[in-house]
Amino acid sequence: MNLPNAITLFRIFMIPIFVTVLLTEIPNREIWGVVVFLIASISDVLDGFVARRRRQVTTIGILLDPLADKLLISAAFISLVQLHLAPAWIVVIIIGREFAVTGLRNLASSEGLTIRASRLGKTKMVFQVIAVCLILFGARFGGSWRLLGQASLWLVLIVAVWSMVHYFYRFWGTIERQRKKRIHQRKKLFKIKKKQRLQGESQ
């Protein structure tokens, strides 16, 4: 456990607080929701900065950081659906993208590869944060804020799908080659052991 990973865990612990604030009937819950959400989102930038500055980039951090982001974003958009502020079908696609990329990361990890967050993925995260804040402001103040929120949600949808295609196009071939290489090595090792066993029996 180091400081960057502790900050990532802090972001995860902020998620139930954010959901509770947003789904509880309290005065100005949208504003408080934005405040908590921004604190959690800023910690995403902070843990990466600290990790690079202190040279504490670890494998667990690389895997845990995007997971924390996905949990936070999923909780935010599901809450928006619960509040009838976002269409469920758009949120399903956005969250589905997160699960798809997570599955790709897990598959890559099983092949000994680590997929870092791309610039497009980080841009997608920024757009998601902006969209959630604008939608909540739209629910609180209405008018132009509401229009901005809806427009930003469509932008998030486009970027999310685009980044998913980018991840799969960029890494699927590498994962497949790594898998075939490992199978070939196993077959080669099996043949060597078989040959050694036959030689031993002949002696």
Side-chain angles (χ1 to χ4, degrees):
M1 176 59 64
N2 53 35
L3 182 57
N5 292 342
I7 296 174
T8 302
L9 290 176
F10 166 78
R11 182 158 72 259
I12 294 176
F13 291 140
M14 289 292 289
I15 295 172
I17 298 176
F18 167 70
V19 173
T20 300
V21 168
L22 207 57
L23 300 183
T24 303
E25 294 290 343
I26 60 175
N28 299 318
R29 64 178 177 180
E30 296 87 358
I31 304 301
W32 287 111
V34 168
V35 171
V36 176
F37 183 70
L38 284 178
I39 291 174
S41 300
I42 291 172
S43 71
D44 179 32
V45 180
L46 184 60
D47 62 6
F49 173 78
V50 174
R52 291 187 297 271
R53 186 70 177 270
R54 293 191 171 194
R55 297 181 180 178
Q56 293 179 331
V57 177
T58 60
T59 301
I60 185 64
I62 293 173
L63 296 175
L64 190 61
D65 182 63
L67 176 62
D69 294 340
K70 287 170 174 53
L71 290 173
L72 177 62
I73 291 300
S74 297
F77 279 108
I78 291 173
S79 299
L80 293 180
V81 172
Q82 177 66 24
L83 295 172
H84 305 289
L85 298 176
W89 70 270
I90 292 182
V91 172
V92 167
I93 294 175
I94 293 173
I95 295 178
R97 179 266 179 207
E98 304 297 338
F99 279 105
V101 173
T102 299
L104 181 67
R105 289 180 185 275
N106 292 336
L107 182 60
S109 179
S110 67
E111 298 296 332
L113 301 173
T114 301
I115 298 178
R116 297 175 180 269
S118 66
R119 289 184 178 180
L120 184 57
K122 294 177 180 179
T123 300
K124 181 264 311 177
M125 179 64 182
V126 172
F127 283 155
Q128 287 175 333
V129 172
I130 294 173
V132 170
C133 293
L134 289 177
I135 291 171
L136 291 176
F137 279 139
R140 180 67 179 86
F141 301 111
S144 299
W145 287 107
R146 188 181 300 274
L147 293 176
L148 287 172
Q150 294 303 315
S152 64
L153 183 60
W154 280 97
L155 182 59
V156 165
L157 176 63
I158 294 171
V159 175
V161 174
W162 183 19
S163 64
M164 180 183 67
V165 173
H166 172 75
Y167 270 115
F168 275 84
Y169 176 79
R170 182 178 177 184
F171 293 107
W172 183 260
T174 303
I175 294 172
E176 188 64 16
R177 287 192 298 271
Q178 186 74 7
R179 185 184 68 84
K180 290 180 179 179
K181 181 180 179 181
R182 190 175 64 175
I183 293 174
H184 176 72
Q185 289 175 343
R186 287 180 177 178
K187 289 181 178 179
K188 186 176 180 180
L189 181 61
F190 175 77
K191 289 180 180 179
I192 293 174
K193 288 183 177 180
K194 184 178 179 180
K195 184 178 180 180
Q196 290 175 345
R197 186 174 68 251
L198 293 174
Q199 289 176 348
E201 290 176 355
S202 63
Q203 295 176 354

